[in-house]
Amino acid sequence: MDIQQVSDTLEIQNLGYRFADAANRRDYPAFKALWADAGVWHIGAPINLHFDGREAIGQAIETLLGRWEFFVQLPHAPVITLAGDTATARWTVMEQARTLDRKTGNVNLSFYDDELVRDGGQWRFLKRAYATRYADETPLAGRAW
Amino acid sequence: MDIQQVSDTLEIQNLGYRFADAANRRDYPAFKALWADAGVWHIGAPINLHFDGREAIGQAIETLLGRWEFFVQLPHAPVITLAGDTATARWTVMEQARTLDRKTGNVNLSFYDDELVRDGGQWRFLKRAYATRYADETPLAGRAW
Amino acid sequence: MDIQQVSDTLEIQNLGYRFADAANRRDYPAFKALWADAGVWHIGAPINLHFDGREAIGQAIETLLGRWEFFVQLPHAPVITLAGDTATARWTVMEQARTLDRKTGNVNLSFYDDELVRDGGQWRFLKRAYATRYADETPLAGRAW
């Protein structure tokens, strides 16, 4: 890889890491800034949600995280294919969460399939499509801080 | 690091990420292509399996994944040591899986110790040695898609 | 990013990966070498520990890991901000462990907030601050090797 490919690879990895970091720490402005204006966030079965545009996604993350006492996403194994000013990426994520009433847990293993775009000098999400592979809603016995 | 070291580091990380991604999505041709012709896949106790050569490994992954309703590997913490056209890498992985009859789970924490080789311009696995640190076969209560 | 930024980013990621790898494999000299002389390791509530200096940290890791039959840290999502010869990093980690008597488990999701320094040509930890987000001490049913 040349320096441009190396830099693009690290910046696209970083975009996925910032997504998790912003969600995990509930930094909503940081989360919203990761998306292109025309960004699309598609969440497949069994959740089935679809958000069009950075504004809708910025509102969605607040609503979605508002359901959870805690929510942590752990991103893994970014496989990135560069194509000039666009790119694709695949990730495997584990997520752990518990509802505010502490009655329902959520431990899942899911895939993200992403389309990225270089947008004003910065890589951003044009589309993230989420597909659940395994999910367990057994109550979780631990303590959150 | 200079550009060669940076590029080699990212490509060797990527090899480990592609291994997980191909296994998780059951892309057998992609999995097989990650190995050198003379590649060796050694799986230690308590599983005790050993496969010699890309062809044997390509058949093994189909057999092994065929046992599971779902299988997800999450790779972490690549520690890479470069030595020209060869390299070593260490990983810590978590794996989660359930047998086809849904009666037996498998959640494990394991190490990979790898030998890599630059092979026709591409980094490939010359050897992966897997050692289990912890494994739990308690049935898993969730749902797979 | 230019080659300096790319190299610094990979070396700082690598520092976090080596921390996990050294802890997971109980390589105490490797663990100690990751810290600046004046390094600080702060572990927040509910554990509440604080170690000042590389020597104290080198003794602490032996004491801390000595409590566990097995301990595995899985680091994720490094978000790094470079500032010349210093930098900051944020991580989300999952840890799994079991006490020597096998009566108490520990599965936790935690954050690391780091200060890094280029120290004699090598990036080292000047400060790691650990904050627990979720922890579950339910006994673990699996087997360790």
Side-chain angles (χ1 to χ4, degrees), chain A residues 93-106:
Chain A
V93 302
M94 172 184 266
E95 295 170 326
Q96 299 209 4
R98 183 163 61 187
T99 50
L100 286 174
D101 64 8
R102 299 184 190 169
K103 289 187 179 160
T104 307
N106 190 305

Side-chain angles (χ1 to χ4, degrees), chain A residues 83-87 116-119 123:
Chain A
D85 289 334
T86 63
L116 299 314
V117 62
R118 196 193 313 269
D119 175 19
W123 285 98

Side-chain angles (χ1 to χ4, degrees), chain C residues 87-145:
Chain C
T88 59
R90 297 196 302 273
W91 298 80
T92 301
V93 303
M94 172 184 267
E95 295 170 327
Q96 301 209 3
R98 184 164 61 187
T99 51
L100 286 174
D101 64 7
R102 299 185 189 169
K103 289 188 180 159
T104 307
N106 190 304
V107 176
N108 72 72
L109 299 162
S110 303
F111 300 127
Y112 261 116
D113 280 82
D114 298 340
E115 299 173 21
L116 299 314
V117 62
R118 195 194 314 269
D119 175 19
Q122 276 218 288
W123 284 98
R124 290 201 169 88
F125 293 116
L126 191 59
K127 182 173 183 186
R128 299 209 88 182
Y130 176 92
T132 302
R133 183 74 177 100
Y134 174 77
D136 184 350
E137 298 197 332
T138 302
L140 295 170
R143 183 175 167 200
W145 283 266

